[in-house]
Amino acid sequence: MKADVDPNVIVYFNGQYIPMRDARIGILTHALHYGTGVFEGIRAYWNPEDRQLFVMRPSCHYQRWKQNCSILRIDVPLSADQLAAITAELARRNGFCTDLYIRPLAYKSAERIGVAIDDQDAFFIVALPFGEYLHSENGIHAGVSSWRRIDDNAIPPRGKICGAYANSALAGDEARRSGFDEAILLNQSGHVAEGASCNLFMMRRGRLVTPPLCENVLEGITRDSIMELAVRELGIEIVERPIDRSELYICDELFFTGTAVGVAPVTRVDHRAVGAGSIGAVTRRLRQAYVDAARGRIPAYRRWLLPVYNPDSAGAPQTALAGETSLA
Ligand code: PMP
């Protein structure tokens, strides 16, 4: 995430809406030392025709967040609906009329030395203007990492636990230093798990294949959205089964999915062309369907979206406000 961050952006911190420059955490905070936080990543998409900002599947994200928090015994004392309402309010208070990335983070907040956890919890939500995460419009080159995906019995990858992201950071850093755009991690059994920050799908023999959730992958919400779009809009069959590394080299199409990356076509893997070496037809159609659904352009998927601005009024403020950028 390389966007410049405005310290005057209003964030939700310790139950209050305050400027980010005033939201401070002590240097002995448990989560900083031991990784004992759980985060989420949510996007909101600006629709210029309707002058509306849509938060993508906020209830799913906040339900997942609360469930994941329970893995680490972190209590977030608000419902998913209340958290979604705070998110929309944050966007309104900042007057955002642009694409956003929203980062809720709950953590063990005691300020002391000692790894054992207690019941002192805190959380915040930050919403920032945010464009593309991976420049994938022409396809990206992915490399299989020498780092293995952490196992459910070590740090559960489905938990989106802060400390677990050292695994993704190591793999992503290695991949970029080796000239790749993104890493693909194998799990402890040697099967393909996922990207450093995204789930993975391949097309083989007319079917869309992705690793099942018990292969040490995040239970991706974009993964779920893409599966629904593939079945309902494209009539494609989904198969959840383990994937061998060598299948990546002979599949017809390959792509990543994630809140940050969207649908990112992989056109080269480990220096080999995927299929014809260009973006595949199914990937292209799914990518477009996802963008259209997320921006509120497909009525059937409006149920995924939370409109931020009052739909009965003329929409978002007409004047350029803080955060108005050319990202949309
Ligand atoms: N896997 C990992 C490791 C991730 O960090 C992410 C991003 N949250 C994903 C997959 C994609 O999940 P989602 O579609 O819910 O963003």
Side-chain angles (χ1 to χ4, degrees):
M1 197 183 304
K2 292 221 173 66
D4 286 339
V5 176
D6 175 0
N8 296 313
V9 156
I10 301 296
V11 304
Y12 189 79
F13 182 77
N14 290 344
Q16 291 183 307
Y17 295 94
I18 60 170
M20 178 143 51
R21 73 180 115 73
D22 297 333
R24 291 276 170 255
I25 289 174
I27 60 171
L28 282 183
T29 301
H30 195 277
L32 181 62
H33 294 246
Y34 306 114
T36 47
V38 171
F39 70 96
E40 254 309 319
I42 309 173
R43 272 213 190 239
Y45 290 94
W46 175 242
N47 176 318
E49 302 96 61
D50 296 358
R51 292 199 62 77
Q52 183 57 276
L53 184 63
F54 292 112
V55 187
M56 180 70 167
R57 305 192 73 176
S59 303
C60 288
H61 280 281
Y62 282 120
Q63 277 160 17
R64 179 173 76 180
W65 190 43
K66 284 174 66 73
Q67 284 174 352
N68 286 341
C69 282
S70 70
I71 295 176
L72 258 189
R73 291 203 302 100
I74 296 175
D75 182 42
V76 177
L78 295 176
S79 68
D81 286 348
Q82 288 171 316
L83 294 161
I86 290 170
T87 305
E89 180 61 18
L90 265 183
R92 282 191 294 270
R93 286 193 185 219
N94 284 295
F96 285 138
C97 298
T98 187
D99 292 354
L100 303 181
Y101 186 85
I102 298 143
R103 167 55 52 82
L105 197 155
Y107 57 101
K108 287 292 173 195
S109 58
E111 294 185 51
R112 58 170 172 73
I113 300 291
V115 76
I117 57 173
D118 59 20
D119 293 333
Q120 224 176 298
D121 304 325
F123 78 93
F124 59 78
I125 306 175
V126 177
L128 295 172
F130 197 76
E132 273 211 324
Y133 180 75
L134 271 182
H135 293 290
S136 63
E137 58 281 358
N138 299 320
I140 61 168
H141 188 183
V144 173
S145 179
S146 67
W147 296 96
R148 289 291 173 104
R149 192 78 183 114
I150 39 166
D151 193 80
D152 190 58
N153 293 307
I155 310 178
R158 69 161 48 74
K160 240 174 145 43
I161 293 169
C162 295
Y165 276 75
N167 181 233
S168 289
L170 286 167
D173 182 59
E174 178 194 58
R176 284 179 190 91
R177 284 173 189 276
S178 310
F180 299 112
D181 300 302
E182 175 63 311
I184 294 175
L185 287 110
L186 307 180
N187 59 25
Q188 301 298 321
S189 328
H191 294 138
V192 173
E194 59 182 340
S197 61
C198 37
N199 293 112
L200 175 144
F201 286 85
M202 69 172 183
M203 277 297 288
R204 277 205 79 191
R205 304 193 181 109
R207 299 192 300 178
L208 201 49
V209 187
T210 194
L213 296 177
C214 56
E215 286 277 60
N216 288 312
V217 300
L218 187 80
E219 299 189 359
I221 291 169
T222 319
R223 174 185 185 274
D224 183 72
S225 304
I226 287 302
M227 285 161 90
E228 185 169 343
L229 288 169
V231 171
R232 289 168 65 113
E233 304 301 315
L234 277 66
I236 290 176
E237 190 187 339
I238 311 279
V239 182
E240 292 179 75
R241 64 155 175 83
I243 295 178
D244 280 334
R245 174 181 188 161
S246 55
E247 289 188 275
L248 300 175
Y249 301 162
I250 58 171
C251 67
D252 301 316
E253 298 185 29
L254 191 63
F255 61 88
F256 289 123
T257 64
T259 296
V261 305
V263 175
V266 179
T267 48
R268 285 170 68 72
V269 61
D270 283 352
H271 308 282
R272 293 155 174 87
V274 174
S278 53
I279 299 175
V282 172
T283 309
R284 195 176 288 283
R285 287 177 67 195
L286 279 172
R287 184 174 155 96
Q288 190 60 47
Y290 184 73
V291 168
D292 289 342
R295 290 201 194 276
R297 293 179 181 135
I298 311 181
Y301 298 98
R302 283 262 179 150
R303 63 192 153 81
W304 282 348
L305 308 177
L306 174 69
V308 163
Y309 295 106
N310 183 353
D312 300 327
S313 74
Q318 296 292 322
T319 47
L321 290 161
E324 179 118 40
T325 72
S326 57
L327 289 174

